Structure formats: C-alpha cells, structure tokens
Amino acid sequence: MRKIGFVLAGLLVAFVVGVLLSPFASSFPDGLERVAEDKGFIERAVELRFPFLVPDYTFPGINNEKLATSLAGLVGVAITFGITVAIGKAMAKKDSR
C-alpha cells in the first residue's frame, strides 16, 4: 500500500507541474528540429501517416494556447503513466511464473 501512495503522489506532482509549467514551454524548435534546420535537411522530413493526439504540443480544438498546451501535457503524463503501469504489470506477471 505504501508503494501506491508514493506512485499516486508522484503522479499528482507530475499533473500539477504539467498544468503550472507547460504554458511556459518554449515556442522554439526542439534540439533535433533545430539541428535539422541548421544543417539544411528539415525539408526532407517525412510527415507521418499516424494521426497525433496532440500535434505540436497543443490540444486540438482549443483556442486558448496556454490551456491547449496544459491539456497536452496532462494527456502526455496520463498516457506515459498508463504505459508504464501496463509494462510494470506485464513484467510482474512474467516474474511470478
């Protein structure tokens, strides 16, 4: 039970930080994109056919940019947490055999 409290506290901190800090995220390109621009091969980038849930770190359909960015951060935290829990459960199940 102690581990669950620790995990939930960490998840709460991640959500709070995501809401409070994500609106202040830089609008400049990330490192990989910046290098591609500087080295002149950004135009060779291929658009993926996979539809992104939160393209460019903003939640689609919301006009307020800071709110859209905060929601994108929250969705990212939730998805990452869900994947981590699923992998952890699968590994625990494998170890118990």
Side-chain angles (χ1 to χ4, degrees), residues 7-81:
V7 170
L8 291 177
L11 186 60
L12 178 65
V13 168
F15 275 116
V16 169
V17 169
V19 169
L20 295 177
L21 296 181
S22 62
F24 301 105
S26 174
S27 60
F28 294 108
D30 61 21
L32 183 60
E33 190 174 353
R34 175 66 189 261
V35 169
E37 288 174 356
D38 290 349
K39 299 297 180 184
F41 61 88
I42 189 75
E43 66 277 349
R44 294 191 332 205
V46 177
E47 287 293 325
L48 298 176
R49 294 183 185 146
F50 181 78
F52 290 104
L53 180 61
V54 284
D56 293 327
Y57 305 109
T58 56
F59 208 81
I62 298 177
N63 294 330
N64 183 322
E65 186 177 345
K66 290 186 187 256
L67 178 61
T69 303
S70 290
L71 284 176
L74 292 175
V75 168
V77 167
I79 290 172
T80 303
F81 179 74

